[in-house]
Amino acid sequence: MTWHPVADLAAFDASPVLAREAGGVALALYRVDGAVYATQELCTHAGVSLAGGEVVEGYIECPAHYGLFEIATGRAQGGPVCRDLAVYPVRIEAGRVWVAVGPEG
């Protein structure tokens, strides 16, 4: 996997969810209780950007059909969503958010 710089922590001052791209992968970044997480950007149900969704107690709510995913794990939380989101490793260095994407090895 390759690490990519994707945002400054200060970008979360405007919104707890950001849409970014790294290595050709569309990502949604979330800041929840001081931690930063990364998942695929598009909902597995309708292909809608989760960056337009609402963060509710550690979950992202899809803006199209209100399906919930657990942000930390990407787990779908019931209808209409039934497939989990891909999740990506995140690290913070000097106020910069880095996400690892791509094949391992």
Side-chain angles (χ1 to χ4, degrees), residues 17 30 49:
V17 187
Y30 313 88
S49 174

Side-chain angles (χ1 to χ4, degrees), residues 22-87:
V25 177
L27 301 169
L29 304 176
Y30 313 88
R31 189 154 193 198
V32 178
D33 296 329
V36 178
Y37 302 93
T39 70
Q40 71 186 68
E41 179 192 5
L42 300 180
C43 174
T44 57
H45 170 250
V48 173
S49 174
L50 294 172
E54 185 175 344
V55 174
V56 180
E57 298 180 7
Y59 296 89
I60 182 69
E61 181 180 69
C62 177
H65 300 110
Y66 310 109
L68 291 175
F69 297 93
E70 185 177 30
I71 291 171
T73 65
R75 262 185 267 163
Q77 298 299 305
V81 298
C82 58
R83 288 184 308 157
D84 297 344
L85 298 171
V87 295

Side-chain angles (χ1 to χ4, degrees), residues 4 6 19-28 39-41 86 88 99-103:
H4 300 269
V6 292
R20 294 292 189 268
E21 182 274 333
V25 177
L27 301 169
T39 70
Q40 71 186 68
E41 179 192 5
Y88 300 92
V99 175
V101 299

